[in-house]
Amino acid sequence: MEILKPLQKNGYNTQTFQSSNLSKELSIELNRCGANEYTKVSFPVKYGIFSKLETCDYIFEFNLNHEIRHARSKKRTWLHPSEWLKRTMGNDWVYYSTGGYSGVFEALGEYYLPNLTYPTNSLLGGKPFEESGIDDIVKNWHQIIAQLPDTGMPDEFSRWIQSIRQQSPEGLQKKAQQLFDISGSRVTVMPPDARHVDYNIIPLNISDGCLYKCRFCKVKNKKEFSIRSKRDIDNQITRLKRLYSKDIVNFNAIFLGEHDALNAPCELILKTVQDAYDAFNFQSSYMTKTFLFMFGSVASFLNADKILFETLNRSPFQTFINLGLESYDQATLDLLGKPLTRKQVGQAFEKIQAINDTFPNIEITCNFVMDESLPDSHYEALMTLIRESVNRPKPKGCIYLSPLKFGSPSRQVLYDFYKLKALSRFPTFLYMIQRL
Ligand code: SF4
């Protein structure tokens, strides 16, 4: 793979307009330049180039395709001035809450907690979508912007207002469906490491299905593991480029799907990431650095050749590969219906450490399950890996603990998580399952 150095380019012209009519306060900022590097800070940061519309009651932000991407209310009914709504490429609204800043960072590794509208395994958060201020924006944002004046301002602003109005909720839902159609299915689960880019990933499937079809898993599908043809992948890249269109300049991350992309041939993985890098023009992305995310399995990881890691390490990508190990206890693996042996899990964990210690641009992370119903032997075995296997704290190789149950936050499981985290010698966080 050729080594390409990212260049930063910003040919965007920021323009602002402020209405002088006090009864209809309105300000517009076109092509505002937000932060160009993902950071972890305890105040809201907006990334990329976007346009902002502010009225006396609301702040809306739009991407370079004129599609709404963030919103918040300035009314008293809004829960917290530092919290906001984000609309994803899959057309979900996600409410980012501070959680009072208590424990969110410790639990997730991020300062903000994404609250979702669909069932997940989250142990934190309330029900913000039941709040009137949030519900108001989710249901009425388009009507609100439809009522704004689009005259009495310079042409470029009035044309911009007309353009954002054309991106209706129905149109955005259709576009999300087009995204799912490109690969043939929705991304039902993103790797936990995608948090490093606020889940702003371009999904590209090089394979389908997974090897194990574990009994406990709620995100699996019925597809037998199979590999996509080069032609199919090229076709996805072309269509993704068209779909992300002008806003692609705000992206710097790909997710190679589906549930075990690491089981695809090494050449296919390397060729795909290079082709995607070139086609999506990542070297000119507004965002610095480039990220690659994928899932792997114990088998695909143990089979993966050194050459794959060596080449990825030299590539422009910061690579994160997430493996579902689930347990280092045979009784628990059997209970979960995960067709692996304790020995294989141990070998994978050992290889993870070797890769993480050798390659600075690659991080292999792994998941283990948590639930009140699991035997003590599961937690005892986990300790031998995440505490006793190393004699000092490790800076990388995140351990994600994934609650088994959906829609059932449990104080006990949260308490157990904090206990495990305190004992772990690896960065340890909760895995909150999110779709794209
Ligand atoms: S945990 Fe991974 S390997 Fe097991 S069924 Fe789910 S997606 Fe497949």
Side-chain angles (χ1 to χ4, degrees):
M1 178 190 278
E2 208 187 324
I3 303 174
L4 297 168
K5 275 235 160 77
L7 295 172
Q8 204 187 300
K9 280 189 196 158
N10 174 16
Y12 287 85
N13 184 12
T14 307
Q15 292 175 288
T16 52
F17 167 77
Q18 180 102 38
S19 158
S20 48
N21 181 348
L22 288 178
S23 66
K24 285 229 182 310
E25 193 191 314
L26 180 74
S27 76
I28 298 171
E29 196 176 350
L30 300 184
N31 301 325
R32 181 188 170 117
C33 295
N36 66 355
E37 185 168 353
Y38 288 102
T39 47
K40 299 186 195 298
V41 285
S42 60
F43 51 87
V45 178
K46 298 300 164 54
Y47 299 105
I49 304 167
F50 60 95
S51 297
K52 183 176 168 186
L53 171 75
E54 184 162 355
T55 69
C56 53
D57 289 330
Y58 304 98
I59 298 175
F60 296 121
E61 291 169 4
F62 299 82
N63 68 19
L64 296 173
N65 296 328
H66 304 123
E67 298 151 353
I68 191 162
R69 57 169 228 177
H70 290 126
R72 83 166 175 88
S73 169
K74 291 159 75 181
K75 294 183 192 172
R76 276 213 218 118
T77 48
W78 194 249
L79 293 174
H80 192 288
S82 297
E83 300 184 345
W84 70 95
L85 275 163
K86 171 182 174 179
R87 194 189 62 86
T88 69
M89 279 299 284
N91 203 33
D92 281 323
W93 283 101
V94 179
Y95 182 76
Y96 280 74
S97 67
T98 62
Y101 297 118
S102 60
V104 171
F105 186 78
E106 286 72 17
L108 301 179
E110 303 297 316
Y111 283 96
Y112 285 89
L113 168 71
N115 292 267
L116 310 172
T117 52
Y118 49 90
T120 182
N121 61 347
S122 180
L123 298 177
L124 305 164
K127 294 186 171 163
F129 288 93
E130 291 178 5
E131 298 290 329
S132 62
I134 294 166
D135 187 55
D136 168 43
I137 290 189
V138 170
K139 292 209 175 105
N140 303 319
W141 67 269
H142 192 251
Q143 217 178 328
I144 296 164
I145 61 166
Q147 285 162 2
L148 294 174
D150 60 5
T151 53
M153 60 185 76
D155 273 1
E156 54 273 39
F157 295 94
S158 114
R159 275 199 308 272
W160 180 77
I161 292 204
Q162 287 156 20
S163 302
I164 59 170
R165 280 186 191 146
Q166 278 165 19
Q167 302 295 342
S168 65
E170 297 73 28
L172 294 174
Q173 188 52 44
K174 242 190 223 164
K175 184 159 177 180
Q177 190 55 49
Q178 283 167 7
L179 174 68
F180 310 149
D181 291 345
I182 289 175
S183 64
S185 59
R186 182 172 204 162
V187 175
T188 53
V189 56
M190 290 188 276
D193 311 301
R195 67 190 174 89
H196 298 307
V197 297
D198 196 21
Y199 304 95
N200 294 324
I201 52 174
I202 301 180
L204 178 56
N205 271 12
I206 60 169
S207 64
D208 291 284
C210 65
L211 296 177
Y212 302 138
K213 307 295 175 207
C214 319
R215 200 166 48 237
F216 80 96
C217 175
K218 293 195 174 61
V219 296
K220 64 179 177 278
N221 53 37
K222 293 202 169 94
K223 295 179 223 166
E224 287 299 309
F225 180 83
S226 62
I227 291 161
R228 296 284 180 106
S229 68
K230 185 72 190 68
R231 198 164 152 206
D232 177 284
I233 296 167
D234 289 345
N235 187 29
Q236 287 181 64
I237 291 177
T238 308
R239 292 174 68 192
L240 285 165
K241 195 178 165 191
R242 213 179 298 139
L243 188 94
Y244 281 73
S245 188
K246 287 187 183 148
D247 202 47
I248 207 154
V249 75
N250 283 323
F251 286 80
N252 63 350
I254 51 170
F255 163 55
L256 284 193
E258 198 177 29
H259 296 151
D260 192 358
L262 190 60
N263 202 38
C266 169
E267 307 72 47
L268 186 73
I269 296 173
L270 295 173
K271 176 85 176 93
T272 302
V273 297
Q274 180 68 65
D275 288 354
Y277 184 90
D278 295 339
F280 301 150
N281 212 5
F282 278 163
Q283 79 273 18
S284 301
S285 169
Y286 176 75
M287 301 301 294
T288 58
K289 300 187 185 161
T290 316
F291 295 86
L292 166 65
F293 301 100
M294 65 174 120
F295 286 116
S297 61
V298 166
S300 64
F301 181 63
L302 288 175
N303 287 334
D305 205 88
K306 204 171 168 202
I307 188 82
L308 173 72
F309 301 108
E310 285 171 346
T311 319
L312 284 175
N313 191 55
R314 285 199 310 270
S315 82
F317 289 91
Q318 201 60 49
T319 298
F320 290 85
I321 303 174
N322 179 255
L323 310 179
L325 302 187
E326 323 308 355
S327 183
Y328 186 45
D329 171 47
Q330 193 62 56
T332 306
L333 288 167
D334 297 345
L335 198 75
L336 296 169
K338 181 117 195 160
L340 285 177
T341 62
R342 172 186 154 94
K343 190 173 168 203
Q344 289 168 314
V345 172
Q347 284 167 342
F349 196 81
E350 222 170 275
K351 184 169 176 184
I352 290 174
Q353 306 322 314
I355 301 291
N356 284 341
D357 290 345
T358 313
F359 300 107
N361 298 324
I362 299 178
E363 181 166 348
I364 313 291
T365 65
C366 56
N367 311 328
F368 291 94
V369 292
M370 285 190 74
D371 193 64
E372 288 146 306
S373 66
L374 297 177
D376 289 347
S377 51
H378 167 62
Y379 296 100
E380 287 155 14
L382 185 57
M383 274 302 122
T384 64
L385 290 185
I386 69 174
R387 184 172 172 80
E388 288 150 31
S389 73
V390 287
N391 48 19
R392 58 191 159 85
K394 295 276 229 166
K396 66 191 271 213
C398 266
I399 306 292
Y400 291 101
L401 297 175
S402 182
L404 267 186
K405 292 196 186 88
F406 274 46
S408 136
S410 150
R411 273 170 179 253
Q412 182 58 47
V413 178
L414 190 60
Y415 178 70
D416 292 345
F417 161 75
Y418 283 119
K419 264 198 318 200
L420 293 167
K421 182 183 168 83
L423 292 168
S424 172
R425 292 200 164 116
F426 293 84
T428 300
F429 300 106
L430 283 172
Y431 184 3
M432 200 180 119
I433 290 180
Q434 282 190 71
R435 68 189 185 190
L436 182 62

